[in-house]
Amino acid sequence: MLPDTSAIESVGDSIHLAEVQGRSLWADARTRFMRNKAAVVSLVVLALIGAFALFGQFIAQHERDFVNFSLMGANAYKGVPSIETGHYFGTDSSGRDLFARVVQGTGISLMVGIVGSLVAVVVGTLYGATAGYYGGRIDNIMMRIVDVLMSIPFMFVLILMLVIFGRSIFMLFLGIGLISWLDMARIARGQTLTIKNKEFVEVAHAIGVSPMRIVLRHIIPNLLGIVIVYATLLVPTLIIYESFISFLGLGVQEPNTSLGALISEGAANMSYGVLWQLFFPLLFFVLTIFAFFFVGDGLRDAFDPKDR
């Protein structure tokens, strides 16, 4: 009597099916990302910095606009970091609690970077995917517009806008948003030129799906990998832009502040020996920038390990 092999075959099929089902693109990317120690540590650092920006105000013992008149001007060197006085990071030259101001500055800098990158990703991806899918004359016109905008000196235009229309967070967002989506548009367009020739896109076109529905339902979802990577690399770039503008005194205005404005103020007071006014905002600025870069590199290696 021959042994019954149906049970063995069914078990083998189940194991094979489980192996196939367990190897998706996102699962493989997550596994490769978790093996990158620098990226994982940077992700933890970003989470801690985000928690600091969100909940640091509940830890601060003083309001960010509260002025201690005894620690102003020439007496600023007395406002050293101290747990007893509640000034964990010391005070600035105006006698205000530096801890509370670093909390606000970190939050505003993160908001500028994250919101700016989201706007750039949404606008740039839609624009580039549309140009790449339609092709021909539409593609040429849309990408020539991008080329013209990229030829304009971005920093000069941003400074000019802030001087003419006033220095505010809204104008800062508007100026950064006008130019930050251009690179994403070119990246999305290049990837779309490859994706639109795939079989699933041709099938969707053959059964009568509208072009914009194909772009939204089939093209853009397949761009998510590179879009996520680009977004994480764009955030620190936008934070640097904002910090540079604030360092020049054209960014966020009092009583609000950002890391760039705090660094500018701390650098101006270095000659008085109050190094903590520069050290703490610079520390959070450097940690944020490098953490985003390491996370972006980790995501890039995770989604496309052949480029490593």
Side-chain angles (χ1 to χ4, degrees):
M1 181 177 179
L2 295 176
D4 186 8
T5 59
S6 59
I8 299 176
E9 291 176 354
S10 61
V11 171
D13 293 339
S14 300
I15 296 174
H16 178 68
L17 181 59
E19 291 177 352
V20 172
Q21 291 178 344
R23 295 185 57 85
S24 66
L25 172 64
W26 295 98
D28 287 344
R30 183 175 62 252
T31 301
R32 286 191 292 265
F33 180 84
M34 297 303 295
R35 291 174 181 171
N36 190 326
K37 295 181 180 179
V40 173
V41 172
S42 297
L43 189 61
V44 174
V45 170
L46 282 180
L48 293 176
I49 292 175
F52 172 80
L54 289 174
F55 307 109
Q57 57 183 334
F58 301 109
I59 304 175
Q61 298 296 316
H62 305 275
E63 296 292 334
R64 60 176 180 269
D65 54 355
F66 172 77
V67 177
N68 189 335
F69 293 98
S70 64
L71 300 176
M72 293 179 62
N75 293 324
Y77 67 91
K78 296 181 181 179
V80 297
S82 173
I83 298 179
E84 296 179 357
T85 61
H87 296 299
Y88 306 132
F89 292 172
T91 60
D92 62 7
S93 58
S94 299
R96 294 171 296 188
D97 182 48
L98 189 59
F99 179 87
R101 291 179 64 77
V102 170
V103 169
Q104 186 195 33
T106 303
I108 289 181
S109 294
L110 285 175
M111 181 179 65
V112 170
I114 294 174
V115 174
S117 65
L118 287 176
V119 173
V121 164
V122 172
V123 176
T125 302
L126 287 173
Y127 191 94
T130 302
Y133 180 77
Y134 280 96
R137 180 176 298 180
I138 295 178
D139 181 27
N140 289 331
I141 295 175
M142 294 180 68
M143 297 315 296
R144 294 301 76 76
I145 294 175
V146 171
D147 293 338
V148 170
L149 292 176
M150 294 190 71
S151 66
I152 300 174
F154 161 65
M155 196 59 67
F156 173 76
V157 173
L158 180 56
I159 293 174
L160 192 63
M161 288 178 57
L162 292 171
V163 171
I164 295 176
F165 299 105
R167 293 169 287 181
S168 64
I169 297 180
F170 173 75
M171 290 307 302
L172 192 62
F173 274 117
L174 181 62
I176 291 177
L178 286 175
I179 201 72
S180 58
W181 61 274
L182 299 176
D183 288 330
M184 186 69 249
R186 301 186 72 173
I187 294 173
R189 183 248 183 189
Q191 293 294 316
T192 302
L193 292 176
T194 302
I195 295 176
K196 74 175 185 178
N197 295 320
K198 299 292 185 180
E199 291 81 1
F200 61 90
V201 176
E202 294 180 353
V203 170
H205 178 72
I207 63 177
V209 179
S210 63
M212 283 308 302
R213 188 174 179 84
I214 292 176
V215 170
L216 295 175
R217 296 292 300 272
H218 299 283
I219 301 295
I220 291 181
N222 285 276
L223 298 176
L224 285 180
I226 193 169
V227 164
I228 293 173
V229 173
Y230 180 77
T232 56
L233 296 175
L234 182 61
V235 171
T237 303
L238 297 183
I239 292 177
I240 292 173
Y241 282 151
E242 182 278 327
S243 299
F244 177 73
I245 294 297
S246 297
F247 188 86
L248 297 178
L250 298 174
V252 180
Q253 299 300 301
E254 295 289 351
N256 298 318
T257 189
S258 68
L259 291 179
L262 292 173
I263 292 172
S264 176
E265 184 180 351
N269 294 319
M270 284 183 62
S271 58
Y272 298 104
V274 285
L275 298 180
W276 62 85
Q277 294 184 13
L278 176 64
F279 173 76
F280 289 108
L282 186 61
L283 174 65
F284 278 86
F285 175 78
V286 171
L287 286 177
T288 302
I289 296 300
F290 276 94
F292 270 112
F293 277 132
F294 279 120
V295 170
D297 287 339
L299 288 173
R300 182 182 58 193
D301 294 342
F303 281 107
D304 196 354
K306 292 183 292 183
D307 288 343
R308 297 180 61 180

